[in-house]
Amino acid sequence: MTTTEIKVENSENIEPLLHTKVGNATNANFPVDDRGAVYHLGVAKGELSPRILTVGDSERAAKLRNELLEDAEKPVSHRGFVIHNGKYKGVKVSIVSIGMGPSMMDFLVREGRYVVEGPMAIIRYGTCGSLKDVKVGSLAVASQAVLIRRNPDFWHQDKHSDCKNYDISLPVDGDKELVQTLTNEFRSTFTDRETVVGINATADSFYSSQGRIDPEFDDDNHNLINTLIEKFDNKVTTLEMETFQLYHLSKRSKQPIKAAAATIILANRLSNAFLDNETKSRLEIEGGRACLDALIKIDLNN
Ligand code: R1P
């Protein structure tokens, strides 16, 4: 692998990253360089495990690697993606931080699919806001996901038009077996905390499409949260920015991808409560361990 070593400043106990250099690509339809590295993830075939734990925050990924992986290789980074390869209880896994939003998950699933041979399992472990009456610091597993997209045509030429301001998709299922395995792991890990299971709403903005009111912008989103609650009979539990893309693409993949997602409930959108950093940090490790336990239990070939 062609890499450049970069020191990460101000991060305790975080390994220096090896920055992959992707060379000249030869295929505009699906760019891959002469080494076989995909254009954004920067890895080639064999450099990513079929069992992937993906998170948004690169520091969360580094902590999970430091605390939980054996035989961890030096992390590899390209275009904001960081890949930590190693073993968990003797099984090869990759922990991948992707940043935020559906497009970053799109890169991971598509380019990950290209570089992995055969069936895969992907678990996302993130943070979210909740629309249920649960304490912050509770956990959530997404049985299904819907996508909320801001429709720019509503604001066309500075006038509000007749079309919908936000489109809300139909629900897509996670992999039932992996969702159940993940739920069991969370419930046995967090005996003193609630793990809620329900519909995730993935939004294309942290702000407008999640119903946050920003006085600086014309977002026309005052009713969005209520619409979401009513449309799905109060079964929407979480709001975040990646799970739908993971579930949708996993279902559309021609080779099997089992997908599930869990989140730490960081914010309660009904009560306006927000979790403290110390508890969040602890839940990242404990929940990460539960995710890895689920990830290695799953039979990829069945
Ligand atoms: C927004 O703050 C980010 O946090 C959540 C959202 O999905 C979005 O990516 O997940 P992560 O904590 O995994 O990044």
Side-chain angles (χ1 to χ4, degrees), residues 31-297:
V32 175
D33 76 1
D34 47 3
R35 196 179 69 80
V38 285
Y39 193 58
H40 305 92
L41 287 188
V43 286
K45 288 186 193 289
E47 294 174 359
L48 192 67
S49 164
R51 295 174 197 267
I52 297 171
L53 171 58
T54 179
V55 302
D57 182 358
S58 58
E59 293 206 10
R60 185 180 315 144
K63 277 193 290 186
L64 291 173
R65 162 232 165 78
N66 288 352
E67 295 281 334
L68 304 173
L69 289 195
E70 307 137 17
D71 302 333
E73 297 167 14
K74 211 172 250 293
V76 171
S77 158
H78 189 249
R79 291 292 293 255
F81 297 92
V82 184
I83 297 174
H84 302 263
N85 286 327
K87 286 185 182 164
Y88 179 72
K89 297 186 177 171
V91 180
K92 277 191 180 171
V93 296
S94 297
I95 299 176
V96 183
S97 65
I98 64 170
M100 294 172 267
S103 335
M104 296 301 272
M105 184 60 86
D106 196 79
F107 284 124
L108 172 67
V109 178
R110 290 178 187 277
E111 296 189 5
R113 181 62 283 173
Y114 179 85
V115 298
V116 171
E117 304 284 352
M120 300 171 72
I122 306 177
I123 292 179
R124 161 169 158 73
Y125 186 40
T127 59
C128 70
S130 181
L131 296 183
K132 303 296 275 188
D133 182 20
V134 287
K135 288 184 187 155
V136 293
S138 301
L139 291 308
V141 177
S143 50
Q144 297 183 304
V146 300
L147 180 64
I148 310 166
R149 280 164 297 179
R150 181 181 171 100
N151 179 8
D153 288 352
F154 175 78
W155 290 266
H156 187 59
Q157 309 290 39
D158 297 334
K159 283 192 307 224
H160 288 181
S161 58
D162 289 339
C163 59
K164 276 192 187 162
N165 42 12
Y166 295 88
D167 289 322
I168 303 175
S169 78
L170 296 170
V172 173
D173 292 343
D175 178 81
K176 287 201 166 48
E177 179 198 5
L178 191 54
V179 165
Q180 189 58 58
T181 306
L182 192 58
T183 304
N184 295 346
E185 290 298 335
F186 268 71
R187 290 201 166 136
S188 59
T189 301
F190 296 106
T191 49
D192 55 344
R193 290 174 187 273
E194 195 172 353
T195 297
V196 289
V197 179
I199 302 175
N200 162 267
T202 296
D204 64 0
S205 163
F206 179 80
Y207 295 101
S208 65
S209 312
Q210 292 191 26
R212 289 191 162 89
I213 305 304
D214 182 347
E216 299 292 337
F217 289 88
D218 169 16
D219 288 323
D220 200 66
N221 62 351
H222 287 79
N223 293 326
L224 185 57
I225 297 266
N226 282 340
T227 303
L228 202 55
I229 291 171
E230 282 166 19
K231 186 176 167 90
F232 298 104
D233 297 329
N234 204 18
K235 293 194 178 94
V236 174
T237 51
T238 58
L239 272 166
E240 47 82 273
M241 300 180 67
E242 293 83 14
T243 297
F244 179 88
Q245 199 67 15
L246 172 61
Y247 284 12
H248 168 64
L249 281 184
S250 298
K251 294 281 184 219
R252 300 279 63 83
S253 170
K254 292 178 182 172
Q255 292 191 74
I257 303 178
K258 295 181 177 180
T263 41
I264 300 166
I265 296 176
L266 206 57
N268 188 302
R269 296 296 308 285
L270 306 179
S271 71
N272 220 18
F274 207 93
L275 188 67
D276 65 278
N277 283 341
E278 195 186 325
T279 311
K280 175 188 163 208
S281 200
R282 193 154 40 79
L283 297 178
E284 285 177 319
I285 301 297
E286 291 169 8
R289 186 182 287 112
C291 288
L292 288 169
D293 279 323
L295 197 59
I296 64 166
K297 268 188 190 157

